[in-house]
Amino acid sequence: MATILTNAKQLTADQTLEEVMVKIEDGIITEIASQIEITAEDHVEDLEGQLVTAGFVDVHVHLREPGAEKKETIETGTKAAARGGFTTVAAMPNLRPAPDCPETLQSIMARNKESGVVRVLQYAAITKQQLGREIVDMENMKEAFAFTDDGLGIQSAGMMLETMQRAAKLGIPVVAHCEDDSLVPGGVMHEGTASKRLGLPGINSVSESVHIARDILLAEAAGCHYHICHVSTKESVRVIRDAKRAGIRVTAEVTPHHLLLIDEDIITDDGNFKMNPPLRSEADRQALIEGLLDGTIDMIATDHAPHTAEEKNVSMLDASFGIVGSETAFSLLYTQFVETNIFTLNQLIDWLTIKPSQAFGLPYGRFEIGAAADLAVLDLEAEGEVDPAQFQSKGTNTPFIGWRYKGEPTMTIFGGEIVYRKEAVK
């Protein structure tokens, strides 16, 4: 029995929507055509004129299990991803226990496969317990998607160089949260006029850019694929642009919240605006947009970071860093950038599908015959507002509550099976 998607539309290279039917057999797209024969045994899904694309690929999420299940579980985190149109996510290693040895990595990967409703790729830690003191047994953790201590910058240049040299031999990327601790004495938001107005300690821009500059030169020396998490400053964009021009193998991501918000949007001392790196200035935000458009920044990743209400509904001085993002990413980006003609729909979908897949050598993010039937169905006319009561995530920590949007995922198919349908999750 095949599944046939009827009355669908695909996005063409010239930005038009073309009516198609899609045939799925054994989890694979076997036909895309204007007409496909339907037999009595086939299962038919009428998409009612909605857009079908490759499922989104997010290389930066926090699933919190094991160790912090009160914030999120693999099940709730992947259901949130599915609701957002994501069919592949890469989970960060800030877990307890952290995946810092082969046994724990294998255990977490098995758990991901058992509980996830979409594909979960698992990062391994760079250092044991992410303490920055001792590099893990990288050679026996080749199953890891990549190595990172995300949330914590590797402070020792010598340790980072050794990590990159060993990763290069394994052919596995090193992924970095870039932050020089000596330049961040207890900051909770961007250092600027807003932090002064609110009387809160700031995080300066150079704490990120100087770390990126250091690591790029180390990556060049090691011959390693180096990927930079959540770029936030104009200086960082400039450094990455220069590195790419020099032929250094570096890729980078930007989050929806850094594209949509700035520090001046923080009107009161609200923990739901606290993230690391922090919301920066308008000049930084414009540099991030320019970096995406000229290819300096390769992709969009959510940095979905759920926390409990008790951890976020407090002063920024006491709140945990991070916000959720899986379920709001497409709708907000489409509304704020595609509807306003800053990005094309093709560009937005590329940054959410093919670009992350290409950067990490993944066989996903493709809407074509022979590809895995990982699909997102998007209603571009649907209107709504961000309402955490609708979230599949346990986390409701977002500064976008009440934001109006146009366009939303209404169905997500993973491996040929429907794992999200608007109003219901498998």
Side-chain angles (χ1 to χ4, degrees):
M1 181 185 76
T3 295
I4 310 290
L5 307 181
T6 64
N7 198 18
K9 289 183 179 175
Q10 69 173 347
L11 186 62
T12 66
D14 63 0
Q15 305 289 327
T16 60
L17 297 178
E18 178 180 75
E19 291 189 10
V20 292
M21 297 172 69
V22 182
K23 187 174 186 178
I24 299 169
E25 296 175 287
D26 299 324
I28 303 295
I29 300 171
T30 56
E31 194 172 356
I32 303 171
S34 58
Q35 285 295 325
I36 295 174
E37 182 181 357
I38 301 175
T39 69
E41 293 77 27
D42 291 334
H43 171 72
V44 178
E45 289 284 344
D46 183 352
L47 299 191
E48 301 178 339
Q50 298 176 87
L51 173 65
V52 61
T53 76
F56 303 151
V57 177
D58 189 350
V59 300
H60 194 149
V61 302
H62 298 266
L63 296 183
R64 307 300 194 197
E65 180 184 354
E69 288 84 350
K70 63 180 181 180
K71 299 172 188 272
E72 192 78 288
T73 65
I74 296 164
E75 180 182 3
T76 59
T78 55
K79 283 184 173 178
R83 182 167 182 260
F86 294 92
T87 52
T88 298
V89 298
M92 287 298 171
N94 54 336
L95 306 169
R96 292 297 175 265
D100 59 2
C101 67
E103 295 77 17
T104 304
L105 176 63
Q106 291 286 352
S107 172
I108 294 173
M109 290 175 67
R111 217 159 159 168
N112 289 337
K113 191 171 184 179
E114 180 181 346
S115 302
V117 304
V118 300
R119 181 180 299 104
V120 181
L121 308 172
Q122 184 61 54
Y123 284 98
I126 290 176
T127 63
K128 292 187 177 178
Q129 299 182 58
Q130 293 185 284
L131 295 176
R133 297 172 184 161
E134 183 180 356
I135 299 175
V136 302
D137 180 6
M138 297 173 66
E139 287 71 20
N140 285 308
M141 300 173 76
K142 297 177 184 175
E143 302 89 344
F145 170 61
F147 291 97
T148 184
D149 269 5
D150 178 58
L152 301 164
I154 299 295
Q155 300 304 305
S156 162
M159 176 175 285
M160 192 56 149
L161 178 60
E162 181 183 343
T163 297
M164 289 180 170
Q165 289 169 333
R166 291 167 65 178
K169 289 179 181 177
L170 296 171
I172 300 177
V174 171
V175 175
H177 170 108
C178 293
E179 186 173 28
D180 187 315
D181 289 351
S182 68
L183 297 171
V184 189
V188 298
M189 65 178 290
H190 175 61
E191 184 177 272
T193 55
S195 65
K196 291 176 182 173
R197 169 171 49 81
L198 292 167
L200 294 170
I203 300 173
N204 60 39
S205 297
V206 75
S207 63
E208 174 182 292
S209 56
V210 74
H211 225 193
I212 291 176
R214 182 204 75 174
D215 282 359
I216 282 173
L217 294 173
L218 294 175
E220 181 181 33
C224 171
H225 173 197
Y226 172 60
H227 177 79
I228 305 159
C229 296
H230 41 50
V231 177
S232 72
T233 77
K234 59 183 185 297
E235 294 84 4
S236 300
V237 174
R238 186 180 73 225
V239 170
I240 297 166
R241 184 178 289 122
D242 289 346
K244 288 196 168 188
R245 286 173 178 163
I248 300 170
R249 192 178 177 196
V250 55
T251 55
E253 68 190 40
V254 64
T255 72
H257 47 276
H258 288 110
L259 292 170
L260 292 162
L261 292 169
I262 61 172
D263 63 334
E264 294 290 349
D265 293 318
I266 307 174
I267 306 302
T268 61
D269 181 5
D270 181 349
N272 284 309
F273 282 85
K274 184 178 178 182
M275 60 277 289
N276 191 10
L279 300 173
R280 301 290 189 180
S281 70
E282 177 62 15
D284 292 308
R285 190 180 80 92
Q286 290 299 325
L288 297 174
I289 294 170
E290 183 182 351
L292 260 179
L293 289 170
D294 71 11
T296 300
I297 297 174
D298 301 84
M299 67 195 76
I300 297 172
T302 68
D303 191 8
H304 174 80
H307 293 287
T308 65
E310 292 75 19
E311 292 169 319
K312 294 298 282 186
N313 294 332
V314 293
S315 165
M316 292 180 75
L317 291 171
D318 301 315
S320 300
F321 284 106
I323 65 170
V324 293
S326 295
E327 296 174 77
T328 56
F330 175 79
S331 295
L332 294 179
L333 293 169
Y334 178 77
T335 304
Q336 299 295 322
F337 290 105
V338 178
E339 284 285 291
T340 55
N341 297 315
I342 298 171
F343 302 155
T344 69
L345 181 55
N346 269 341
Q347 286 174 321
L348 177 58
I349 289 176
D350 279 356
W351 291 323
L352 290 168
T353 58
I354 193 70
K355 291 297 174 57
S357 296
Q358 287 177 338
F360 284 90
L362 301 172
Y364 312 123
R366 294 167 173 79
F367 179 58
E368 61 189 24
I369 295 171
D374 299 347
L375 303 171
V377 178
L378 308 171
D379 183 347
L380 301 181
E381 300 301 321
E383 297 187 20
E385 69 176 39
V386 175
D387 176 9
Q390 304 298 317
F391 285 180
Q392 295 296 321
S393 172
K394 284 189 175 183
T396 59
N397 46 303
T398 173
F400 296 113
I401 295 171
W403 277 44
R404 298 289 303 175
Y405 64 79
K406 181 181 180 184
E408 64 181 1
T410 58
M411 180 187 293
T412 301
I413 299 172
F414 170 60
E417 292 193 25
I418 297 172
V419 293
Y420 167 73
R421 191 192 297 270
K422 188 178 179 181
E423 311 300 343
V425 175
K426 176 185 176 184

